[in-house]
Amino acid sequence: MEKENTLTVAVLGAGNIGSAMARGLAGSGHTVHLYNRGAARLESFGSMPGVVPTQSLEDALRGADLSLICVEGHAVMPLIGAMGRFLESQSVVVGSCAAAISTDELSEALGRFVSQPKVFRLLPNIAATAGKSANLLCAKGIGNSDLSVLQDIFECTGTTLIVEERLFPAAMALSSCGIAYAMRYVRATMSAGVQMGLSPAVAEAITAGVLDGTAALLASGKHPEELIDAVTTPGGLTIRGLNAMEAAGFTPSVIAGLTAAAKV
């Protein structure tokens, strides 16, 4: 794989994540063979440039530089079994978006069909459907240069971070589970806004704008506390709110939720 080249990617599964990956990859110039057993989920891709929808697994894999499995965890191994007779290249690259399937398991399953399996795990979150995912990436049997290429490829659906596989549970708590926690913060903010007289729609719009602006400020590279200090004046309203939240257990509750999700 070369960074400057476009690739042919077999995306196997056209659910929410598979569809998001197909759109992102095609939008960044790659050719996508999008496979799904049922036709209904493929219909919307029929006229999309760069996407070749198919109900044939053989056709999806033919000529693919890499394959990305986007089915539920229990269906990954049966799908790899079905892929086996079509995997002729010893340097085949196969990845999975299933949260619970390790690279060791992927490598062992593919090793029944090819002698040098190259595997990776790519764990997006649901924000991939909006092109704003926090993707987690690790690999086995893949060199650093090709891993860097994979990282660049999947930036099309959001920020992609290379993370040691042993740290995936912690990273998933922040990325995948984190969407729900952020949404709970949004819901709490909306409730407070309504209590203070704002309509739910206005409170939601304000909160969404604040979150968008916060993400942009974080991209500047400044530490969160530095940014907090920039909007916190002595004796002001912000410090009163922050202190009230901390007194109610804001930081400990966030840490407790994340570590519970990661089982750390």
Side-chain angles (χ1 to χ4, degrees):
M1 294 185 292
E2 299 291 339
K3 289 188 177 182
E4 62 270 17
N5 293 339
T6 57
L7 303 175
T8 297
V9 183
V11 175
L12 310 178
N16 288 335
I17 295 300
S19 295
M21 288 296 164
R23 291 189 180 93
L25 289 164
S28 60
H30 300 289
T31 298
V32 177
H33 296 173
L34 179 60
Y35 164 78
N36 201 69
R37 288 190 302 175
R41 289 183 173 178
L42 298 175
E43 291 176 355
S44 63
F45 291 92
S47 59
M48 182 174 294
V51 178
V52 182
T54 179
Q55 291 178 263
S56 167
L57 183 57
E58 182 178 8
D59 289 346
L61 294 173
R62 185 180 293 116
D65 298 296
L66 64 92
S67 300
L68 181 64
I69 298 172
C70 300
V71 299
E72 294 183 1
H74 65 85
V76 172
M77 293 307 170
L79 180 55
I80 290 178
M83 294 167 63
R85 62 195 179 100
F86 306 125
L87 298 176
E88 299 176 353
S89 171
Q90 292 187 344
S91 60
V92 64
V93 179
V94 176
S96 167
C97 290
I101 307 297
S102 69
T103 55
D104 283 341
E105 291 172 299
L106 290 171
S107 184
E108 181 179 356
L110 284 165
R112 292 180 289 150
F113 308 108
V114 296
S115 60
Q116 299 176 33
K118 297 181 178 182
V119 301
F120 64 93
R121 290 175 70 185
L122 179 77
L123 296 187
N125 61 31
I126 193 62
T129 58
K132 295 289 186 180
S133 178
N135 299 322
L136 310 178
L137 177 65
C138 71
K140 181 175 183 177
I142 293 176
N144 289 336
S145 60
D146 279 348
L147 185 58
S148 178
V149 173
L150 288 174
Q151 182 180 25
D152 287 347
I153 289 170
F154 294 117
E155 288 281 325
C156 65
T157 56
T159 301
T160 301
L161 301 170
I162 297 173
V163 178
E164 291 181 55
E165 189 165 21
R166 66 181 181 85
L167 295 174
F168 260 42
M172 287 169 59
L174 272 65
S175 61
S176 300
C177 304
I179 292 286
Y181 305 151
M183 288 299 182
R184 184 55 61 88
Y185 167 79
V186 171
R187 186 68 185 91
T189 301
M190 288 173 62
S191 296
V194 171
Q195 181 175 326
M196 294 184 289
L198 298 173
S199 71
V202 169
E204 181 179 359
I206 291 172
T207 305
V210 167
L211 291 176
D212 190 45
T214 301
L217 289 170
L218 282 172
S220 70
K222 292 183 178 180
H223 192 280
E225 284 300 327
E226 184 179 356
L227 295 170
I228 290 172
D229 289 344
V231 296
T232 305
T233 56
L237 300 177
T238 303
I239 191 60
R240 294 181 189 179
L242 286 171
N243 286 341
M245 289 180 184
E246 292 299 337
F250 180 79
T251 296
S253 67
V254 171
I255 293 173
L258 290 168
T259 54
K263 297 180 180 180
V264 174

